[in-house]
Amino acid sequence: MTQTVSAPPATWSPPATPVASSGAPPQSQSSPTPHRGPLGEWFAGTPGRMRALLILSAVVSVLFGLAAAQGFRQSDGALQRAEANTAQLVRVQAIHTNLVAANADATNAFLVGGLEPPAQRQHFVDSLATASRLIAEAATAQPADQTVLGQLNTTLLTYNGQIEQARANNRQGLPIGSQYLKDANATLQNDSLPLLNALVAANEDRVDTEFEGVGGGTVWLIAGGFLSLAVLVVTMIWLAKRTHRYLNIPLAAGAVLVLVTMVVGGAGMAEASSTAEDTRNDTYANALALSRARIAAYDAKSNESLTLIARGSGAAFEKAWTDAAGRVDDELGKLGRVGRPSGWQDYKRSHQAIRTADDRGDWDEAVNLAIGSGGNSANTYFGAFDKSSAASLETTSNAAQQQLGTARGALPPIEWLGLPIGIVAALLAAWGLSQRLGEYR
């Protein structure tokens, strides 16, 4: 019997799914949005640009206020320092005038012999006392001058001691008195006056520097104003293009505030600068000329007496008189006829009479003309010039001080209002931009 072997049951498998080849394109995926961060989100898009312009407008408005305040502070400070330095210059020149006046008294009184006239002696004492008082005032007013003023005070002690030696010997009729007088004059000319000249030059430089600095504050005002206006105007133009609203009232008000401050402030600064410049060229220049003329005149008067004291060997002193008289003429020539003091030409004629008498050998007549108190004496004419020039100097000095004070008064109070103005302009700019920002919320 044949055995039949059965085959295993057939099994069915689903058809194999074809495998995608490695070259098939990958399934498409969306790109992730880049992360800007909080600050980037805040300045993104049109609202972000508005925020940036808001900050920029506010900052430049405040900076304008600070710049305006700084400009007015600079101009006001320059005027204040010019006024103080002018007063110091007048003070130093008054010291100079009193010293040469005292020397003129001492030399002229020496010609009298014995006891000098009481009035002339008192004028000498008063002049030295005034010079000493002014030295103390000047040292307090300007610390930069203290060292030189201290040195000047030391030379005055030496000078006064030599004058007293000359007086004591002259009262006894001792010839050595004239040598002490010449030594005193040399101390004044070689020790005291160079120090005074240095003080005068230093204070003139200070005054000139401050006069030139009065208009410097305008740079701060104009530069800050134009920068602020430029930012505000550009902001308004940009807003008009984006929002199609052509006038933003708060922003425009801020720009107008800046513009008005520039115009009013600039006009005030221009007026103050013009007044200061007029003062510099008019009353201040006249005060300097008068002061220099008085100093040179007293120098001439001293040399007139020293020429006679030298008794025939005073050619050097006469040359010094001629030089000093020439300086007086030059300084008086700078003045207008209205403010020119009287008496100088009469004194010059009386000096020529003194020289004529001395040159022909009439020394006693020359001395009488030099020390007399009559109508034709040199002292009478010189006294008239002294009083007239002193009155003119006081008038012009006071006028210069008043005009500088007027120049300061012409400045608007923007030194104190500048920052508040800038803050108001900044708030107006922020308000105007905030209105447009609110439309995007």
Side-chain angles (χ1 to χ4, degrees):
M1 181 176 80
T2 305
Q3 188 176 359
T4 303
V5 180
S6 61
T11 58
W12 177 88
S13 296
T17 303
V19 179
S21 66
S22 60
Q27 186 176 1
S28 162
Q29 294 182 355
S30 61
S31 301
T33 303
H35 180 66
R36 288 193 182 96
L39 189 61
E41 291 289 341
W42 205 68
F43 287 112
T46 299
R49 293 186 183 92
M50 287 185 181
R51 294 187 186 98
L53 286 173
L54 187 154
I55 294 172
L56 180 60
S57 300
V59 168
V60 296
S61 296
V62 173
L63 289 178
F64 164 71
L66 291 173
Q70 172 59 27
F72 277 84
R73 188 176 298 112
Q74 180 174 324
S75 294
D76 183 69
L79 283 169
Q80 188 174 5
R81 290 188 297 272
E83 189 175 354
N85 288 327
T86 298
Q88 178 73 348
L89 178 58
V90 171
R91 197 177 291 116
V92 170
Q93 288 179 321
I95 295 171
H96 197 160
T97 303
N98 277 279
L99 290 185
V100 291
N103 195 53
D105 287 329
T107 53
N108 192 257
F110 194 88
L111 287 169
V112 177
L115 292 176
E116 61 266 37
Q120 201 167 38
R121 172 62 182 171
Q122 189 60 48
H123 191 266
F124 170 85
V125 172
D126 291 344
S127 295
L128 279 187
T130 301
S132 297
R133 175 178 57 80
L134 290 173
I135 287 174
E137 291 180 6
T140 302
Q142 178 55 269
D145 293 339
Q146 287 179 353
T147 300
V148 178
L149 288 167
Q151 296 171 357
L152 175 63
N153 201 46
T154 300
T155 66
L156 291 190
L157 294 176
T158 302
Y159 169 79
N160 196 29
Q162 291 169 333
I163 288 292
E164 292 306 316
Q165 289 282 358
R167 291 181 62 243
N169 284 280
N170 190 45
R171 284 198 299 268
Q172 300 175 43
L174 299 177
I176 195 174
S178 62
Q179 185 58 49
Y180 277 114
L181 184 66
K182 291 176 183 177
D183 290 343
N185 185 71
T187 297
L188 187 69
Q189 297 292 333
N190 300 329
D191 297 337
S192 302
L193 298 190
L195 294 173
L196 278 166
N197 290 333
L199 287 169
V200 168
N203 282 281
E204 284 184 357
D205 287 343
R206 292 186 192 118
V207 173
D208 289 340
T209 298
E210 299 306 338
F211 272 127
E212 292 169 0
V214 171
T218 308
V219 176
W220 288 93
L221 177 68
I222 298 302
F226 275 127
L227 175 62
S228 181
L229 282 176
V231 171
L232 292 175
V233 169
V234 168
T235 300
M236 286 190 288
I237 293 173
W238 184 89
L239 276 179
K241 290 180 178 180
R242 293 297 186 280
T243 63
H244 301 291
R245 296 182 182 180
Y246 296 108
L247 181 63
N248 186 295
I249 294 178
L251 264 174
V256 169
L257 179 61
V258 172
L259 181 61
V260 169
T261 303
M262 287 179 63
V263 172
V264 173
M269 281 190 176
E271 182 179 353
S273 182
S274 177
T275 302
E277 190 63 22
D278 290 343
T279 302
R280 181 184 188 180
N281 296 329
D282 186 16
T283 51
Y284 171 73
N286 288 346
L288 285 183
L290 281 166
S291 184
R292 291 166 181 164
R294 284 173 53 79
I295 291 168
Y298 274 115
D299 191 22
K301 193 72 172 73
S302 297
N303 281 291
E304 177 182 85
S305 299
L306 289 169
T307 303
L308 294 173
I309 292 170
R311 282 183 174 262
S313 58
F317 295 117
E318 178 59 21
K319 183 182 182 303
W321 184 96
T322 302
D323 293 342
R327 294 197 301 273
V328 177
D329 290 334
D330 290 342
E331 295 301 332
L332 293 182
K334 299 175 182 178
L335 304 173
R337 291 190 176 276
V338 176
R340 190 174 300 179
S342 60
W344 175 247
Q345 296 303 323
D346 293 330
Y347 166 71
K348 286 174 65 178
R349 283 192 291 270
S350 69
H351 176 78
Q352 292 306 317
I354 292 171
R355 294 310 320 138
T356 299
D358 190 29
D359 291 342
R360 69 170 180 255
D362 196 349
W363 186 83
D364 290 334
E365 175 63 18
V367 169
N368 287 334
L369 290 172
I371 68 174
S373 57
N376 295 324
S377 70
N379 282 347
T380 299
Y381 290 132
F382 190 87
F385 169 76
D386 179 35
K387 290 179 181 178
S388 177
S389 60
S392 296
L393 178 59
E394 182 178 5
T395 300
T396 53
S397 297
N398 290 339
Q401 296 288 324
Q402 291 172 0
Q403 287 172 5
L404 288 173
T406 301
R408 288 188 64 197
L411 291 173
I414 296 179
E415 179 180 351
W416 310 108
L417 295 178
L419 182 57
I421 288 172
I423 292 174
V424 170
L427 292 174
L428 288 170
W431 181 20
L433 284 161
S434 296
Q435 289 179 343
R436 301 288 84 83
L437 271 171
E439 297 171 357
Y440 282 84
R441 293 170 185 163

